[in-house]
Amino acid sequence: LVLVRRSHIDRRPARRPAAMPTGVVKRWLPDKGFGFFAPDDGSNDIFAHIRQKAGGQEDIITEGRRVYFESEWDPSKGKPKATTWYWVDGPGAGAQSPSLAPPLAPSFVPATTTP
């Protein structure tokens, strides 16, 4: 029996980094594909685009829904913007971008041999 080492996607539930900020969707413009988050810490609103949503793009984004997000300063706009975001709970919750996902775990599977 020969074992071959392969990597697979870790199927454990996603966990957010401890320092990742949270907030709520304050306003969403579905026809434009963007909106704004109100951070829980009371800081300025964060611009968010659907392309930065980790875990796929949903058709319906509702105002008031809780999110985790990472942000950076956008010098061209002079405002903060979300670089990655995902839902705190409900459908699509915990989905993470590759940069936030846990490392791949190795697994061993029997190799197929040909006679």
Side-chain angles (χ1 to χ4, degrees):
L1 178 67
V2 178
L3 297 179
V4 177
R5 183 179 176 160
R6 292 187 184 170
S7 294
H8 71 282
I9 296 174
D10 191 338
R11 300 286 183 206
R12 292 177 293 177
R15 293 194 175 120
R16 73 177 178 97
M20 184 171 273
T22 58
V24 297
V25 178
K26 181 176 181 178
R27 184 169 182 212
W28 193 260
L29 305 164
D31 55 325
K32 306 264 186 195
F34 68 83
F36 300 90
F37 300 153
D40 289 342
D41 66 6
S43 59
N44 292 336
D45 291 351
I46 306 290
F47 172 83
H49 198 280
I50 190 67
R51 288 187 305 234
Q52 276 65 46
K53 183 181 178 302
Q57 300 173 0
E58 295 183 14
D59 294 332
I60 300 173
I61 297 175
T62 57
E63 294 175 2
R65 189 155 179 205
R66 299 198 47 72
V67 293
Y68 294 122
F69 63 90
E70 288 184 324
S71 64
E72 68 182 15
W73 188 256
D74 184 347
S76 66
K77 303 281 185 182
K79 298 177 182 180
K81 68 176 181 178
T83 55
T84 302
W85 62 278
Y86 56 96
W87 302 122
V88 169
D89 55 14
Q96 295 181 340
S97 70
S99 65
L100 299 174
L104 296 177
S107 67
F108 293 94
V109 294
T112 56
T113 57
T114 55

